[in-house]
Amino acid sequence: MMQHTVNSLVGFTVGAIDDEIGKVEEFYFDHETWTIRYLVVKTGRWLSGRKVLISPTALKMPDWKNKVFPVNLSKGQIQNSPDVDTEQTISRQQEIELYEHYTWQHYGSRGAGFYGGAGVSEQHTNQQSSDPHLLSTDDVTGYEIHATDGNIGTVEDFIVDERTWSLSFLIVYIGNWFPGKKIILSPKRITEMKLHDSSLEIDLSTNAIKDSLGI
């Protein structure tokens, strides 16, 4: 199983079947399943730098050496895709329009969702609402990690499983205890995500973490 950090994937070139599309800028993931749902790609001059969303299901075999993500899409398909403002929260209706445009299978059509979880369904009763489970890796970077008895550090990066596109671990900077020290933390340890104050609650104590590090 090959794993990569999110930061190492930022800047990868995304290549359509007929030309280059642009560069990966960030990722959107479902924080219930901790699986990447979209690559956010900043296009070049041909689309005036417009940002587009590409599902990992559109990817072909990555060229890790040359840092290229080939996709089974044409530039025409991407140019004519629904315009999504990546600076705003993405609505379920916008996701449905993307899936219909690219003829990707809807998440909800597989029952448990494309990557697990609720997913996107054509019959969703509130299609105009935003998807509360969809977050940007850029936005979550910097979130504080709260143990059961205190703050331990901040999210610095994520580790991605290239086979499933799941975020297997968070990389947490704990410089307040040990300058320059980082740890990896499984999302399974997270008990609550507090969007209002940009923090994650975990089920470990500060002593348990220090003991595991020998601090």
Side-chain angles (χ1 to χ4, degrees), residues 29 64 70 87 89 108 110 116 180 193:
F29 69 97
W64 300 110
E87 300 302 319
T89 304
R110 292 192 178 183
M193 175 176 280

Side-chain angles (χ1 to χ4, degrees), residues 108-199:
S109 63
R110 292 192 178 183
F114 201 89
Y115 290 114
V120 177
S121 171
E122 292 177 282
Q123 283 75 40
H124 199 281
T125 56
N126 189 13
Q127 294 178 341
Q128 295 297 336
S129 66
S130 61
D131 188 341
H133 304 144
L134 204 58
L135 297 175
S136 159
T137 50
D138 273 7
D139 288 344
V140 178
T141 298
Y143 268 37
E144 292 187 352
I145 303 294
H146 295 163
T148 56
D149 55 353
N151 184 301
I152 66 167
T154 56
V155 177
E156 186 171 277
D157 203 347
F158 307 84
I159 295 177
V160 184
D161 180 342
E162 71 174 59
R163 182 179 58 85
T164 62
W165 283 89
S166 61
L167 298 176
S168 306
F169 298 98
L170 293 79
I171 298 176
V172 180
Y173 178 70
I174 57 169
N176 55 326
W177 288 348
F178 196 77
K181 186 71 174 179
K182 302 174 186 178
I183 62 171
I184 59 172
L185 180 71
S186 169
K188 294 178 181 178
R189 289 294 186 181
I190 298 170
T191 57
E192 185 178 1
M193 175 176 280
K194 295 184 176 180
L195 301 179
H196 64 280
D197 66 356
S198 302
S199 67

Side-chain angles (χ1 to χ4, degrees), residues 72-86:
N72 58 4
L73 304 171
S74 68
K75 289 184 70 175
Q77 284 178 291
I78 293 165
Q79 184 173 11
N80 296 321
S81 65
D83 195 6
V84 177
D85 185 355
T86 58

